[in-house]
Amino acid sequence: MNINQLLMAQHREAERLFEKLEEAQPEQRDELATTLAQKLELHMELEEEIVYPAICDLIEDSDSDVAEAKAEHALARQGIAQLLALDGETPGFDGLVAMLKAGVLHHVEEEEEEVLPNLAEAATHEQLEELARLCEERILAAGAEPPSDPDTATREELYEKAKEQDVEGRSGMSKDELAAALERG
Ligand SMILES: [Fe+2]
Ligand SMILES: [Fe+2]
């Protein structure tokens, strides 16, 4: 697994959690909001501590992109703090979720369309894998589970993920088809 695969898997997971949160009953919202907040915080820490410094080292003139990314993380943190302070049954919860989601999706789009492709171009294959390894260590140290590696996961593991994500037609899919369906998110 390389760093871009790892970060993009985390982006897809965050998007799924936003969708769940939007569809959840009011009494389920607090728990989902807490899970989403933890995942986003850990993801942002990985980027700030491991990925963005590597980008600054490897890519000339990347300082302003990284500064913008950090400013967007700060905005996301404000939204997360507001969300956690609000009871899931309070009117306005929906609106706050929509605002936070829009901000996070905007940031994710910039990362996936500019920042990560630039990194992939500037770094060697080994460097991209090493960054992923550092992130995985950090995820494990936080007591969380790193995203599964699509290259080495078994069909059974992929099937379990597909079940979690309600992938249609999963039972008839081969390992490669499951991996492709999961990647599409
Ligand atoms: Fe980010
Ligand atoms: Fe990200």
Side-chain angles (χ1 to χ4, degrees):
M1 165 165 304
N2 66 43
I3 189 62
N4 287 8
Q5 289 171 319
L6 184 144
L7 295 177
M8 285 164 71
Q10 290 189 324
H11 291 163
R12 297 292 84 75
E13 191 181 16
E15 287 166 6
R16 280 194 298 278
L17 278 168
F18 269 116
E19 278 164 28
K20 273 195 185 171
L21 190 54
E22 286 169 332
E23 290 163 11
Q25 298 300 317
E27 62 273 15
Q28 303 170 318
R29 287 173 176 166
D30 288 336
E31 201 185 320
L32 278 168
T34 304
T35 306
L36 177 66
Q38 286 168 346
K39 302 250 178 195
L40 287 176
E41 179 55 37
L42 182 56
H43 177 76
M44 292 191 288
E45 285 173 17
L46 295 177
E47 290 183 339
E48 289 160 11
E49 291 167 21
I50 298 169
V51 185
Y52 295 166
I55 289 173
C56 288
D57 283 348
L58 291 165
I59 306 173
E60 236 178 285
D61 298 327
S62 57
D63 294 7
S64 65
D65 285 346
V66 166
E68 187 185 342
K70 286 186 182 168
E72 289 175 354
H73 282 193
L75 288 172
R77 284 193 172 96
Q78 283 176 15
I80 291 167
Q82 285 175 307
L83 194 69
L84 292 178
L86 212 62
D87 190 289
E89 300 186 44
T90 312
F93 189 90
D94 277 355
L96 196 50
V97 170
M99 259 171 54
L100 177 62
K101 183 182 175 188
V104 168
L105 292 193
H106 164 82
H107 175 70
V108 161
E109 193 180 316
E110 276 183 354
E111 283 186 340
E112 296 196 2
E113 293 192 356
E114 289 171 35
V115 179
L116 298 181
N118 289 344
L119 175 61
E121 209 167 297
T124 64
H125 186 69
E126 287 72 30
Q127 284 170 324
L128 295 172
E129 296 212 330
E130 174 63 9
L131 288 170
R133 200 189 56 73
L134 291 171
C135 287
E136 278 167 351
E137 262 178 32
R138 177 77 176 67
I139 294 169
L140 290 170
E145 207 186 314
S148 54
D149 183 343
D151 299 333
T152 56
T154 63
R155 182 182 179 281
E156 208 162 312
E157 284 167 347
L158 295 175
Y159 183 80
E160 280 308 307
K161 291 255 169 205
K163 204 161 132 188
E164 275 170 32
Q165 291 175 33
D166 251 340
V167 171
E168 255 176 70
R170 59 185 175 268
S171 54
M173 288 184 185
S174 69
K175 192 186 137 185
D176 289 347
E177 286 166 340
L178 284 167
L182 289 168
E183 201 144 302
R184 284 195 298 272

